[in-house]
Amino acid sequence: MQARTKPETVDGRIVRRHNNRRRIVAAMLELVRAGAISPNAEEVAERAGVGLRTVFRHFDDMDSLYREMAEAMRNELQPLVSAPLGSLDWKGKLDEIVGRRSRLFERAMPFKNAADVHRHRSAFLRKDYQTMRSAERAALETALPAVLRKNKEFFEALDQALSFSTWQHLRRDQKLTQEQARHTVEYALHALVGASGK
């Protein structure tokens, strides 16, 4: 009887630990979405419905928590990221990218704002940022004809205009609405395309 009880007790603790961790990650995401850039342990504990000591045990390994938060965000946004572009010509594809990124960046912005604050302390967040930037640039390269991919000035200006940092600046610093920010990015895109002569 005792031999059966001990493994069951250990298994129960493992399940509780995983459940608590999931609740902590979910609580952090909820708080970040609500505008808390750096939620403290007390706020997380209250939102997750766990004890403060439980939060501190998991907060000892912040990179793994950031990793789980980023994974949750990726799962939420993946259908939007992976949907194929419908346009056949490159200008239409760029217009689609603007619309897609405006929705994507808007949903990811609370998490990205929080990640910016902690990136200097987290190897994972630094790597995740570089991965995101590489994916953004690769999507642009795929959409453009070869002659424009090779035009470094055009490509770098386009990459900046359609980047998350531009969207963040328009929304957070210039205080534009989502629609105003999208129109501003579209204006910049069309100006760059016009200047390219293509």
Side-chain angles (χ1 to χ4, degrees):
M1 184 70 176
Q2 288 179 344
R4 285 198 303 271
T5 303
K6 190 171 181 181
E8 288 171 5
T9 302
V10 172
D11 288 347
R13 287 178 185 164
I14 291 170
V15 169
R16 278 194 303 277
R17 186 165 61 243
H18 288 308
N19 286 342
N20 285 340
R21 190 172 185 84
R22 278 195 296 271
R23 289 163 72 179
I24 289 168
V25 170
M28 288 180 68
L29 282 169
E30 288 172 14
L31 289 165
V32 165
R33 282 194 186 99
I37 288 180
S38 187
N40 63 43
E42 289 82 2
E43 292 171 320
V44 173
E46 183 178 351
R47 180 65 66 102
V50 300
L52 196 56
R53 288 174 59 188
T54 300
V55 173
F56 280 127
R57 278 198 297 272
H58 291 287
F59 264 66
D60 283 341
D61 184 11
M62 288 303 294
D63 256 17
S64 66
L65 280 178
Y66 292 141
R67 189 173 291 109
E68 289 182 45
M69 289 173 67
E71 185 65 27
M73 287 300 301
R74 273 193 291 271
N75 290 340
E76 179 183 324
L77 299 174
Q78 190 57 41
L80 185 57
V81 171
S82 60
L85 297 172
S87 297
L88 298 178
D89 70 298
W90 65 271
K91 290 181 182 178
K93 288 179 180 177
L94 288 181
D95 284 333
E96 282 188 62
I97 287 173
V98 171
R100 179 175 297 184
R101 287 190 182 182
S102 69
R103 296 189 300 276
L104 182 66
F105 291 163
E106 193 67 19
R107 287 169 64 181
M109 191 160 52
F111 176 74
K112 298 302 293 179
N113 287 342
D116 286 350
V117 173
H118 302 288
R119 194 185 307 145
H120 69 286
R121 293 192 307 242
S122 168
F124 169 75
L125 289 178
R126 289 192 296 274
K127 183 177 179 183
D128 191 57
Y129 175 78
Q130 291 303 323
T131 300
M132 181 195 77
R133 288 296 296 126
S134 295
E136 287 178 1
R137 289 174 69 88
L140 281 184
E141 288 176 348
T142 301
L144 291 172
V147 66
L148 289 178
R149 284 199 301 271
K150 294 175 184 176
N151 183 336
K152 183 170 176 57
E153 290 79 11
F154 173 80
F155 183 82
E156 295 301 337
L158 185 65
D159 179 45
Q160 178 57 47
L162 303 186
S163 69
F164 174 77
S165 62
T166 294
W167 186 261
Q168 185 183 49
H169 178 72
L170 293 171
R171 293 285 285 121
R172 186 183 67 188
D173 301 330
Q174 294 186 206
K175 304 191 185 311
L176 300 185
T177 65
Q178 183 177 350
E179 184 177 6
Q180 289 170 330
R182 176 175 172 168
H183 288 324
T184 301
V185 172
E186 287 172 341
Y187 183 90
L189 167 66
H190 296 151
L192 286 168
V193 170
S196 75
K198 299 296 179 184

